[in-house]
Amino acid sequence: MIKIYIVDKSNLKPCNNDLVYCVVGENSSLKMREKALKIYNQILSSDLSKEVNIYNQIKKSNLYTIFVESILLLNYKFEKYKSKKSSILKITYQNPELINKSMIEGVFIARDLVNEPLSFLTADQLAKEIKKYSKKSFFKLETLSEKKIKDLEMGGVLSVNKGSVNPSNFNILTYKHPNSKSSKPIILVGKGVMYDTGGLSLKPTANSMDMMKCDMAGAAAVVGAIYAIAKMKINVSLIGLIPAVENRPGGNAYVPGDVVKMMNGSTVEVLNTDAEGRMILADALHYAKRFNPKLVIDLATLTGSAARAVGKYGIAAMGNASNETIKILEDAGLNINERIALQPFWEEYSLELESDIADLKNIGSAEAGHITAGKFLEHFTKEKEKSAYPWIHLDIAGVAYLKKPYFLSQKGGTGAGVRLLCEFIKNYK
Ligand code: BES
Ligand code: ZN
Ligand code: ZN
């Protein structure tokens, strides 16, 4: 058994036993997370016991919380398909009331969903998984079938899924705290492209298509966050909207040059079938209007451009929500170390989406592709040229999936967005 004591500097006693780590309470949350990472890796790579006990002897309990949560976040492996399981740590800790277990569970749910390959996690299976999680928490799920999606004339969702033999669906998650009767809901929209081959604008395999099971990471973040927030019983009204499709180059796949009529009546000239996320999100953002939301946040692995702009160090953010709302989100990101990087959102970018034959086209120029993608989405948040609700778009393409471990995430799905949303909603409501 390894004992980790979180102590204040003044209380630091020498550690003369190999199996005891003393951690000085660092006066910064980032330093505390770094310390957790260092200790976690030390223990895992040593031949010491894999049973760890963490003790709280620090005055500032928030630093204790950060340390334990960081260790718990690190202690994750996706091994469902491994015949031989490798070891992770067995962790127990003092003061469980200081640790947000629901949030960690939410992150792990999102990671599991991202790590699942398409061979298991189709749109149908996603709906089943969400249903399973809804029963373990306090939210409800309604899944619209492809037939219903046709009735609703969600042209964006339908056209992306045309090349797939598996049906699309549209998931509506609802959580309402009993005391939040009159309040307008916050809506979370998640990109659920179960797999993105690029469609007929096919992606190359290496470093591109090979990781595209992660293209539903926005959806995964929404599921994980709503699971956690419902389990924490936060006083809020929340709705999750998840359009789920596969982007495939099948016999009936939509082709570059097609014109698609979207749910809101706009026509889109599709010039690249790989810009599919915005097609399905457009219908979801239009659908959101019927709930008269207080705020809409969408999360999507939308563009390689966002990943190139900020890398794995942050989330590219844009939209039309008030400065106050953005500030709360920025602060939440700094607190839990999922930072957002606000991008310019000038009108000029939307001019790039003018089409010769339709209302707009689905790609802009080679520059600032994440912002023109955002501008495409913005079009569908409007009603009669005016924004229908305050809205923030989070492009998580850079942070959702890792090729090698980075900071508090192992390889694969990171669960990015879950903690950001939990922290934000706690403070915003
Ligand atoms: N799913 C991709 C974006 C992506 C890239 C996610 C890297 C995760 C990591 C998206 O659907 C896409 O293919 N976007 C294109 C848009 C382009 C055709 C305008 C891109 O970014 O290249
Ligand atoms: Zn794509
Ligand atoms: Zn995609």
Side-chain angles (χ1 to χ4, degrees):
M1 157 96 70
I2 297 186
K3 294 181 177 171
I4 303 178
Y5 290 94
I6 317 296
V7 298
D8 286 311
K9 207 166 208 152
S10 52
N11 292 334
L12 186 62
K13 298 186 194 84
C15 305
N16 42 21
N17 182 336
D18 264 3
L19 300 187
V20 179
Y21 282 83
C22 292
V23 175
V24 184
E26 296 276 359
N27 214 3
S28 126
S29 54
L30 190 63
K31 285 222 171 96
M32 210 61 187
R33 292 187 209 282
E34 282 165 355
K35 206 132 209 178
L37 173 64
K38 204 167 149 206
I39 290 181
Y40 183 85
N41 286 337
Q42 261 170 22
I43 298 173
L44 207 65
S45 61
S46 72
D47 44 18
L48 298 175
S49 158
K50 298 290 177 268
E51 268 179 52
V52 175
N53 246 342
I54 310 175
Y55 300 92
N56 181 15
Q57 300 191 349
I58 199 173
K59 286 201 193 79
K60 279 195 175 166
S61 65
N62 65 321
L63 291 175
Y64 173 75
T65 303
I66 287 170
F67 183 88
V68 177
E69 286 182 358
S70 300
I71 292 272
L72 294 177
L73 283 170
L74 283 159
N75 203 35
Y76 171 90
K77 273 215 162 82
F78 182 74
E79 299 204 306
K80 179 176 161 192
Y81 298 103
K82 283 253 188 205
S83 313
K84 226 179 117 207
K85 315 271 185 234
S86 66
S87 65
I88 51 173
L89 305 184
K90 194 170 170 296
I91 300 165
T92 48
Y93 46 85
Q94 263 189 333
N95 300 117
E97 73 284 359
L98 295 175
I99 308 306
N100 193 341
K101 273 287 293 220
S102 304
M103 188 183 71
I104 308 279
E105 267 184 80
V107 173
F108 287 5
I109 286 171
R111 288 181 184 176
D112 283 349
L113 290 172
V114 172
N115 288 329
E116 280 287 3
L118 180 69
S119 51
F120 173 75
L121 197 60
T122 57
D124 273 350
Q125 189 62 36
L126 175 69
K128 286 184 192 151
E129 295 295 309
I130 304 175
K131 188 82 206 170
K132 179 180 89 186
Y133 293 127
S134 76
K135 287 180 182 154
K136 290 190 188 163
S137 186
F138 302 95
F139 69 92
K140 290 198 179 68
L141 172 68
E142 184 191 0
T143 301
L144 310 182
S145 65
E146 192 161 90
K147 160 134 200 343
K148 183 76 192 168
I149 293 172
K150 280 185 185 143
D151 294 345
L152 288 167
E153 299 180 56
M154 291 188 166
V157 178
L158 291 167
S159 59
V160 173
N161 203 64
K162 270 172 77 183
S164 169
V165 292
N166 294 321
S168 59
N169 62 34
F170 191 99
N171 300 282
I172 305 166
L173 294 69
T174 317
Y175 163 69
K176 201 171 162 64
H177 189 276
N179 294 349
S180 75
K181 271 181 221 122
S182 59
S183 72
K184 295 169 154 192
I186 300 171
I187 300 193
L188 305 175
V189 179
K191 173 178 173 182
V193 174
M194 307 314 294
Y195 200 87
D196 184 10
T197 67
L200 284 165
S201 312
L202 197 66
K203 285 180 185 296
T205 303
N207 291 317
S208 185
M209 199 201 296
D210 52 4
M211 51 184 275
M212 278 306 140
K213 66 174 183 180
C214 81
D215 215 19
M216 34 57 71
V222 169
V223 177
I226 294 182
Y227 173 94
I229 290 163
K231 224 167 177 198
M232 288 184 251
K233 297 197 173 146
I234 294 180
N235 186 353
V236 66
S237 167
L238 259 189
I239 294 174
L241 300 178
I242 298 177
V245 298
E246 266 170 49
N247 189 21
R248 293 262 208 178
N252 199 32
Y254 76 146
V255 303
D258 269 354
V259 174
V260 173
K261 182 133 190 241
M262 309 292 279
M263 188 187 186
N264 77 338
S266 298
T267 54
V268 173
E269 184 185 12
V270 175
L271 287 173
N272 191 318
T273 62
D274 200 8
E276 84 297 340
R278 64 198 74 183
M279 298 292 289
I280 69 167
L281 291 172
D283 283 341
L285 289 169
H286 176 69
Y287 190 81
K289 292 168 193 162
R290 66 178 61 198
F291 301 103
N292 188 22
K294 182 162 139 189
L295 173 68
V296 177
I297 302 180
D298 77 76
L299 295 96
T301 46
L302 203 62
T303 64
S305 169
R308 285 188 295 275
V310 267
K312 55 179 178 277
Y313 308 108
I315 297 172
M318 56 208 94
N320 61 18
S322 71
N323 291 342
E324 274 165 283
T325 304
I326 301 272
K327 175 84 170 68
I328 300 173
L329 189 65
E330 272 174 338
D331 288 348
L334 285 169
N335 270 345
I336 55 92
N337 205 52
E338 282 190 11
R339 294 172 298 191
I340 66 159
L342 202 59
Q343 305 294 301
F345 211 43
W346 301 310
E347 215 29 58
E348 285 86 339
Y349 295 105
S350 56
L351 303 179
E352 294 191 8
L353 297 170
E354 279 173 12
S355 159
D356 293 336
I357 66 161
D359 297 334
L360 67 170
K361 54 183 188 180
N362 79 332
I363 52 169
S365 71
E367 288 109 38
H370 56 302
I371 306 176
T372 47
K375 281 291 172 189
F376 181 92
L377 298 181
E378 184 185 47
H379 177 89
F380 298 89
T381 65
K382 291 184 176 172
E383 191 77 70
K384 297 196 181 103
E385 322 252 299
K386 286 213 336 242
S387 49
Y389 45 70
W391 161 72
I392 300 172
H393 162 56
L394 300 176
D395 194 330
I396 58 172
V399 294
Y401 193 86
L402 294 172
K403 292 242 154 141
K404 48 182 196 229
Y406 174 69
F407 206 42
L408 301 181
S409 291
Q410 307 294 350
K411 277 185 218 185
T414 60
V418 174
R419 288 161 61 241
L420 177 65
L421 290 172
C422 289
E423 182 75 10
F424 170 75
I425 285 170
K426 258 195 282 176
N427 301 334
Y428 173 80
K429 280 200 297 227

